[in-house]
Amino acid sequence: MVLAGLVPLTSGGDVDVTVDLPDIAFWWLLALFLFDLSIRIAAIIVIPRNRRPTSAMAWLLAIYFIPIVGVLLFLLIGNPRLPRKKRQQQEQINTALRENGESIAVGTLRPGAPAWFTGLVDLNTNLGAMPLTGDNQATLISEYQASLDAMADAIRGARSYVHVEFYILQTDASTDNFFAALEEVAARGVTVRVLLDHWANRGKPFYKKTLQRLDRMGAAWHLMLPVQPLKGKWQRPDLRNHRKLLVVDGEVAFVGSQNVTDSTYNLKKNIKRGLHWVDLMARVEGPVVSSIDVVFLSDWYSETGEILTDQVNLSSASDSGGNLDCQIVPSGPGFEYQNNLKLFMGLLFAAREKIIVVSPYFVPEESLLLSLVTACQRGIHVELFVSEEGDQAMVYHAQRSYYEALLRAGVKIWMYKKPFILHSKSLTIDDDVAVIGSSNMDMRSFGLNMEISMMVRGEEFVADMRRVEAEYRSLSRELTLEEWMKQPLRSTVLDNLARLTSALQ
């Protein structure tokens, strides 16, 4: 006879073995409790180390409330740094630049630079290893197709090489002229090297067609930050090389926010919603082109291990006829510090009259938000341009969670009217300094994306930027605090939840 709560286990019909189920359940529960407790204690020790408090708190909340999912996510994307090999390669590049910086032509700098600007240049040089260069010329191109065609025209003038590096690169009806130009110069012996981000392009329309077209023309192409475990290529899967640049013969370059693709990105969901991207590119000539080329060469070395400096003359600088001072600031997880964030912060604190920010994805780090609010309190006129409609739901809602604080501080928020996505990325300070490039003012661009920014000193360039900003303003509507406070509760809750997840990096 077996007592209640006991299960008989027999062996050969001779031995009656009983097991107390409540005891087994107790020990299992105790083991699970100790395992859960050990994970929580380990998380408190491991996660906050060398991590921003907001990011650490977000990860701890995720692990405490959804332990299994939180731990798996942390193991998958919890390390915001590149693999050690790629970081070592970046440091080798920076060391070489610092040791041989005198070989890069710098031109003649504009006189009368304020002390704060000189200090900021030194900061950028120490972090990104690029010098400030003079005698440059930069022309802004704000029309989408005109920019693609301008790049095609520059490519057709190539004599030696063309370096193409874009986050998204697609052959389609809008970019056919660009690819045709590459085919033409490749056919006459010009070296064409191409880099494109792996994760951003894989699975997208025309991905295979694009690679096949590059193969047919004889271009040397490589995927940036590939996630291909079977080929031994792996890093945090949401790290991106977000840079957009083109260099022709080391004499002409393009930098900015635009990818080489149709303004709809050829995505059915965008076409269905009627969305079109609005971007801004700069055509650059002068010594700064060498710095842009160095960024390409460093990314090429990082992906291929091939050193191209003997094939590219970085000391040459064509006479641009301009007198702009320009400095290239590369940034990303390959660097120890957040170079672009420090650049933006330095400029915001240096402003005396006006700050105008254009950022499609504005999810500021705490210090950046504080600097904008402080600027308003110092009496600085501050404007922020964003899109009325978002294409990335989580980022869109996280961005909205900052509107009330900005509006209460006195920031004028302009919302570019749908169905257009204002994708330009720029910052202008007073009437003398501006930044244009690929970097958004969000945590992803500061910590996870490889970006390129160009700081420009010259009132004529800022005046051109002001004209672009005026065009954006005419196509936008101003968001007021009164309107914003009428947001329904469900929107506020969703915005705040998205804000929490934005810190998971």
Side-chain angles (χ1 to χ4, degrees), residues 310-330:
D310 58 337
Q311 302 178 42
V312 177
N313 186 4
L314 298 176
S315 62
S316 65
S318 59
D319 183 9
S320 70
N323 67 340
L324 298 175
D325 288 352
C326 299
Q327 185 177 30
I328 295 299
V329 180

Side-chain angles (χ1 to χ4, degrees), residues 16-262:
D16 187 15
V17 180
T18 59
V19 179
D20 193 333
L21 288 182
D23 286 348
I24 293 178
F26 169 78
W27 288 111
W28 269 109
L29 288 173
L30 180 61
L32 288 173
F33 171 77
L34 293 175
F35 178 70
D36 180 73
L37 182 63
S38 64
I39 288 178
R40 294 170 188 264
I41 294 174
I44 293 175
I45 296 172
V46 173
I47 291 176
R49 186 178 181 184
N50 298 323
R51 197 181 296 269
R52 291 194 309 272
T54 52
S55 178
M57 184 59 69
W59 275 116
L60 289 173
L61 287 173
I63 290 174
Y64 273 49
F65 282 100
I66 45 174
I68 296 177
V69 176
V71 169
L72 291 176
L73 282 175
F74 183 77
L75 293 175
L76 182 66
I77 64 173
N79 182 6
R81 307 185 71 183
L82 288 171
R84 180 177 297 178
K85 180 181 178 181
K86 287 186 178 294
R87 297 200 307 271
Q88 290 174 340
Q89 288 175 326
Q90 184 66 61
E91 186 54 39
Q92 291 170 358
I93 294 166
N94 291 349
T95 300
L97 285 173
R98 294 187 185 100
E99 293 175 349
N100 302 285
E102 294 180 358
S103 65
I104 299 179
V106 296
T108 303
L109 301 178
R110 298 167 72 104
W116 67 262
F117 183 79
T118 302
L120 188 57
V121 168
D122 291 341
L123 172 68
N124 294 336
T125 304
N126 291 335
L127 297 179
M130 299 293 184
L132 178 70
T133 65
D135 299 331
N136 299 293
Q137 183 176 7
T139 304
L140 293 174
I141 308 174
S142 59
E143 202 278 315
Y144 198 96
Q145 189 62 47
S147 174
L148 293 171
D149 292 340
M151 287 190 282
D153 290 343
I155 291 170
R156 288 191 170 92
R159 303 181 307 277
S160 178
Y161 66 86
V162 177
H163 289 162
V164 178
E165 179 176 341
F166 284 87
Y167 176 59
I168 294 177
L169 184 76
Q170 293 183 343
T171 176
D172 56 38
S174 298
T175 66
D176 182 68
N177 186 32
F178 181 97
F179 279 85
L182 291 177
E183 290 167 336
E184 292 169 21
V185 298
R188 54 183 171 84
V190 172
T191 300
V192 176
R193 299 185 181 95
V194 178
L195 292 172
L196 63 157
D197 186 84
H198 176 221
W199 201 261
N201 287 279
R202 64 181 295 276
K204 294 292 196 306
F206 311 123
Y207 174 53
K208 292 183 178 179
K209 181 180 178 181
T210 299
L211 299 186
Q212 291 169 354
R213 190 167 184 179
L214 291 173
D215 282 334
R216 285 197 302 270
M217 73 174 70
W221 63 267
H222 292 275
L223 299 173
M224 297 185 291
L225 299 179
V227 180
Q228 299 169 317
L230 297 181
K231 296 182 179 181
K233 298 177 180 179
W234 173 262
Q235 59 270 320
R236 176 171 168 168
D238 63 337
L239 296 181
R240 303 282 188 274
N241 192 317
H242 195 240
R243 292 167 180 159
K244 293 99 175 170
L245 63 92
L246 169 71
V247 180
V248 178
D249 292 338
E251 297 178 355
V252 179
F254 290 76
V255 292
S257 65
Q258 186 171 343
N259 291 295
V260 177
T261 183
D262 183 76

Side-chain angles (χ1 to χ4, degrees), residues 350-364:
R352 295 295 177 266
E353 297 177 0
K354 184 183 296 184
I355 297 171
I356 298 184
V357 178
V358 181
S359 181
Y361 311 116
F362 184 80
V363 185

